[in-house]
Amino acid sequence: MTFVKLFLYVLLLFICLLTLSCSTTTYKEVYPILMDGKYDSEFPYRGCSGQLEQISESVRMISCIAYYKSWVFPLAAKVRLQNIHDPFLKEKAEKEVYLNQTASGSATVIYCKNQRIALLTCAHVVYFGDTLITYYQGEDNKQTEYIQSIAVKGRQTNYVAAISGVHNLEILCMDKENDIALIGQILESAVVPLVSVFNYPIGKAKELEWGAFVYLFGYPAGYRVVTKAIVSNPNRDKYGSFLTDAVFNRGFSGGIVLAIRDGVPNFELVGMMKLVPGYQHYYLTPAKRRRAG
């Protein structure tokens, strides 16, 4: 064997050994459930797609419309807030306008039997003021005491799609301070609609810790979505509010947040989503010049 052939043979053997030593080795590893009674901060150790799909089917998109009749007053009428109960106030209006306000969000079916259905959502999704008042602005762009328009709500519809027999749901109770509302309806038919009901226990948001793993369900942009997030800044207030790093789009408000206690499928309801990212724009405007006297 010549020196060249021997060198090539050794080189080939070295390459084969290097390839074998760098090959991927798969190790089977078992992840034990951490039974500490706390909310989990790690990604679920096994699949839970079936449970997530069942939970998502109990979350529905809600669309609300409030209808108003508005009266617009000229500045010369000098209508003030104390004049709002004047029986002849409408005669000062220069025109009448019909308008509406809309909102959409997410709601979760928590009860459906005995010809009754109830859903949980955020108060700000379904709340519309009974009376809306706008004021004229002065030359300094500050609000004056003179009313420009008064709008009075005539009716409101709260509609949840894809549930047989459910039309206009009523607001059963509402807590605007905690941003919680319960909406429902007595069904006309004795046949209970086939709808998934959320049946997991209510958890304790105040027990969440930094980095706790949570699932979020809702209808951002009109699409049913489940996403994951981690908790930041737990116990921000006396109610146990917290922040997450989830991407938040319009329509997610009212969606539920679930944490996991000692492994899936031990889901617990720990909150609802109620905020969207806010952006502020600042403008510099020149001060009003005073005329020389």
Side-chain angles (χ1 to χ4, degrees), residues 216 227-230 244-248 252 273:
L216 299 84
T227 187
K228 63 183 183 297
I230 59 173
T244 73
D245 63 340
V247 177
F248 206 115
F252 234 149
M273 294 172 282

Side-chain angles (χ1 to χ4, degrees), residues 175-239:
D175 184 345
K176 289 190 291 184
E177 181 179 357
N178 292 312
D179 203 6
I180 299 175
L182 191 65
I183 59 176
Q185 177 187 337
I186 298 177
L187 305 175
E188 299 176 356
S189 173
V191 180
V192 178
L194 296 176
V195 59
S196 181
V197 178
F198 181 81
N199 58 2
Y200 286 86
I202 297 176
K204 297 179 180 179
K206 291 185 177 181
E207 294 183 6
L208 290 170
E209 298 178 345
W210 279 89
F213 185 89
V214 291
Y215 279 110
L216 299 84
F217 300 80
Y219 273 83
Y223 295 96
R224 185 173 63 170
V225 168
V226 55
T227 187
K228 63 183 183 297
I230 59 173
V231 171
S232 297
N233 199 8
N235 288 306
R236 297 177 63 241
D237 52 34
K238 63 179 181 179
Y239 305 110

